[in-house]
Structures are given as C-alpha cells and as structure tokens.
Amino acid sequence: MDTAETTSAPPARDRTPRWRTVQPWLTLACRVGLAAVLITAAVSKYPPALSVQAVEAYDLFPTDLARLIGYTLPLFELALAVLLLVGLATRYTAAVTTLLMIVFIAGIVSAMARGLSIDCGCFGGGGQVDPEETTYGLSIARDIGFAALGAFIAIWPRSPFALDRPLGLFR
C-alpha cells in the first residue's frame, strides 16, 4: 500500500448541491420576514397623520411634499410587501426595498447629524422626542439588517411559492 494513499485527505465535497437546496428556502424566509416588517411598518403608520408627522419631523422636505410622502409611504410599503409575499418581480422588488432602507438610513443619519431629537417613525409614532429617547443607532442597525435581507433576495431571488417562475420572470 502506498503511503500517499493512506495519508491523503478525502476529496473535497462539492457544496454547490447543498447551496442549491438550501438557498431557495433561505430566500423564502427572507421574503416572508421582510414582507412582515413592511406590513408592520405600514400598518403602524395609520392613521396617515402619524406618518405625515414623522416625515415632517425630519425637516427635509417642503410641507406639501412631506405630506405626500407621509400619505403614500405606507401604501408603497404595503405594495412592496405584497409583491414579496407572492414572489412577483422578486429581484426588482427586493432591490427597491433595499434602496428604500438605504433612504431610511440616510434620513436617520441626517437627523442625527443635524442634532434633531426625533423618533424615526419607522413603526408608527414619529415626531419630536426628548434627546435621551432617540434611538438612532438601533434604528440604523435594524435598517441595515433589513437592507441585507433585501440584498440577499435580490442576489438570489429563486424561491418556492413565487409567481416569478410560472409567469416566466425567472429562469
């Protein structure tokens, strides 16, 4: 018996088949989780006056534009959630959701940099708060996590129970 045969390591296993089995289910979990976050965020912004108040607190837009954003943002979040849940245009929906999270992060960083003491309004509420009640770091970290979920879905959109494949949107 050759010593090289007895001391050599077994051949490396190909991990690709395992990834191909696991990835769709991870994407499904990300789709459902991110959709749940978006639904929770949208529903918590009702009545729309709460959303308008949160957008106005950032002091980034003229009043009329802030009102428009405040009224339409919950509807936009709901639309993204539905698209993620049914798996329609999954890659693009996830990319838009990731960009939305980046916009939210930029808004929070802007408020923090300008010394505003506001609640982010991400899950209802919003508006002025005492300086010790701000949670900018936590809000940014949370939105980075949500953006990572969206990026994962955008990179690997294939998942079970998605309408993309039957409609020919995913090969």
Side-chain angles (χ1 to χ4, degrees):
M1 183 181 274
D2 184 40
T3 58
E5 288 179 26
T6 59
T7 59
S8 66
R13 289 181 21 200
D14 185 11
R15 297 183 193 272
T16 303
R18 181 179 293 160
W19 175 248
R20 287 186 183 164
T21 302
V22 172
Q23 174 273 307
W25 296 101
L26 288 174
T27 298
L28 176 62
C30 291
R31 274 180 38 215
V32 171
L34 196 52
V37 166
L38 289 167
I39 290 169
T40 302
V43 169
S44 68
K45 289 180 175 86
Y46 281 97
L50 294 176
S51 182
V52 170
Q53 173 185 320
V55 174
E56 288 177 337
Y58 281 89
D59 199 26
L60 290 171
F61 306 105
T63 303
D64 289 340
L65 183 56
R67 287 181 172 275
L68 177 67
I69 293 169
Y71 280 108
T72 59
L73 180 59
L75 299 173
F76 186 59
E77 290 171 331
L78 280 175
L80 291 172
V82 168
L83 290 171
L84 284 170
L85 279 176
V86 300
L88 187 58
T90 306
R91 172 171 277 145
Y92 304 110
T93 303
V96 168
T97 302
T98 301
L99 290 174
L100 182 64
M101 294 302 155
I102 292 169
V103 168
F104 289 163
I105 292 166
I108 295 167
V109 168
S110 169
M112 185 171 61
R114 292 180 292 135
L116 300 178
S117 296
I118 62 173
D119 178 314
C120 75
C122 303
F123 293 97
Q128 300 295 321
V129 296
D130 290 330
E132 62 273 0
E133 292 179 32
T134 59
T135 58
Y136 297 132
L138 180 62
S139 297
I140 291 168
R142 181 192 60 223
D143 287 350
I144 288 171
F146 297 153
L149 290 176
F152 183 92
I153 299 165
I155 294 167
W156 294 287
R158 183 174 59 96
S159 63
F161 313 114
L163 291 178
D164 284 348
R165 186 177 296 263
L167 295 176
L169 299 174
F170 176 76
R171 295 182 185 94

